[in-house]
Amino acid sequence: AQSVTQLDSHVSVSEGTPVLLRCNYSSSYSPSLFWYVQHPNKGLQLLLKYTSAATLVKGINGFEAEFKKSETSFHLTKPSAHMSDAAEYFCVVSDRRENFNKFYFGSGTKLNVKP
Amino acid sequence: ETGVTQSPTHLIKTRGQQVTLRCSSQSGHNTVSWYQQALGQGPQFIFQYYREEENGRGNFPPRFSGLQFPNYSSELNVNALELDDSALYLCASLKQGVVHNEQFFGPGTRLTVL
C-alpha cells in the first residue's frame, strides 16, 4: 500500500534562509506526488506536483521539489523563506493502481518563519 | 482559490446525533472525494463518488455514508456521532480518468461533537 512519511513535524527557519521539508514515500507503482500547503483556516492549496515528466518540479511562490526514485524521496525546498510561507505543508502520493484518484497524505510539517 | 465550496463552515453537534455536510464541485469535475482531518493530523480518505456511486472507500465505518447528485455535488452523512468524529471535513473535486490527477479542495467544514 502507499504511504507517505514527513520526517519533521515542525521546521523553524529565519526569514531569508533556505527551507527544506522532507518527504519519503512508499508506492509499488509509478506514483504521482504532490505538495499542498494549508494556511490557518484556509483550504489546501496545491504547490506543485510530480507526474514523471521531469524529476525537478517547480511550483508556485518559489518552491520546488526533486523526485529521487532511488531514495523514494520528494523533498520540498525554497531558497529564501518569506514570512508568508508560515503554514502547514502536506506531502501526498497517489498511484496508477487506484487510478490516481485516492490521495494518501503525510502527517504534515508546520513551517515557522522567524523575522 | 478553487471553485469547490462547502457548507456549513462550522457545526456543533452532540454525541449520537446525525450530521449532513455538503460540497459543490468545481466546474467540469465529475468526481468528489471526502477526507477527514483530525487535529494535528493529515487528511484521511473517507470515500469517493463518481457517477452517483461510491467509487472507493477508506477505513471508515458504515455510519459514514454519502451521496452524489446529477450536478456532481455531494453530501457526507455521519450517523450516531462520536466524540472522535470532531474534525475538519474536506471535500475535493476532480475529473475522473485524468492520469496524474490533482484534486481541488474546498475550505472544509469544522465539526465539533460534544
Side-chain angles (χ1 to χ4, degrees):
Chain A
Q2 304 91 322
S3 67
V4 176
T5 302
Q6 291 184 243
L7 298 161
D8 306 293
S9 59
H10 292 82
V11 169
S12 185
V13 301
S14 297
E15 190 174 21
T17 64
V19 175
L20 170 63
L21 305 183
R22 297 182 294 166
C23 171
N24 286 100
Y25 70 92
S26 170
S27 173
S28 302
Y29 297 80
S30 299
S32 290
L33 293 158
F34 307 80
W35 277 97
Y36 280 80
V37 61
Q38 188 174 40
H39 290 274
N41 301 314
K42 296 261 182 97
L44 289 159
Q45 180 186 17
L46 179 69
L47 278 178
L48 51 80
K49 67 177 181 180
Y50 166 75
T51 61
S52 76
T55 57
L56 183 61
V57 182
K58 295 188 184 297
I60 62 171
N61 300 334
F63 284 94
E64 61 182 40
E66 187 171 7
F67 172 72
K68 292 186 176 180
K69 186 175 181 179
S70 61
E71 300 176 10
T72 60
S73 69
F74 190 58
H75 301 334
L76 182 70
T77 61
K78 183 174 181 177
S80 176
H82 191 273
M83 295 297 293
S84 61
D85 294 328
E88 188 158 23
Y89 292 78
F90 292 95
C91 184
V92 181
V93 66
S94 66
D95 71 28
R96 182 177 301 277
R97 185 174 53 175
E98 293 178 291
N99 295 321
F100 299 102
N101 289 334
K102 183 175 176 180
F103 274 16
Y104 293 86
F105 281 77
S107 54
T109 299
K110 288 186 178 175
L111 177 64
N112 178 47
V113 182
K114 298 175 288 186
Chain B
E1 292 190 3
T2 71
V4 181
T5 60
Q6 293 186 243
S7 63
T9 54
H10 294 85
L11 206 50
I12 299 175
K13 293 284 188 179
T14 57
R15 276 188 306 173
Q17 286 189 311
Q18 178 265 343
V19 69
T20 297
L21 311 181
R22 295 178 176 82
C23 171
S24 292
S25 61
Q26 183 163 301
S27 177
H29 289 177
N30 55 14
T31 302
V32 173
S33 298
W34 286 92
Y35 294 83
Q36 181 195 66
Q37 186 178 13
L39 199 61
Q41 298 182 24
Q44 300 290 316
F45 176 75
I46 303 175
F47 45 52
Q48 184 181 91
Y49 276 82
Y50 170 58
R51 290 184 175 175
E52 303 178 43
E53 292 189 356
E54 191 178 285
N55 182 43
R57 189 178 185 92
N59 190 26
F60 282 82
R63 60 189 185 84
F64 286 77
S65 63
L67 285 173
Q68 187 182 32
F69 301 98
N71 66 353
Y72 308 124
S73 66
S74 177
E75 288 182 353
L76 164 65
N77 299 291
V78 187
N79 293 321
L81 283 168
E82 301 177 359
L83 296 179
D84 285 349
D85 295 334
S86 295
L88 180 68
Y89 288 85
L90 297 163
C91 80
S93 77
L94 65 150
K95 188 171 182 179
Q96 192 72 218
V98 175
V99 178
H100 301 298
N101 234 337
E102 69 182 80
Q103 299 192 18
F104 294 80
F105 286 84
T109 294
R110 175 78 59 187
L111 173 64
T112 301
V113 182
L114 303 176

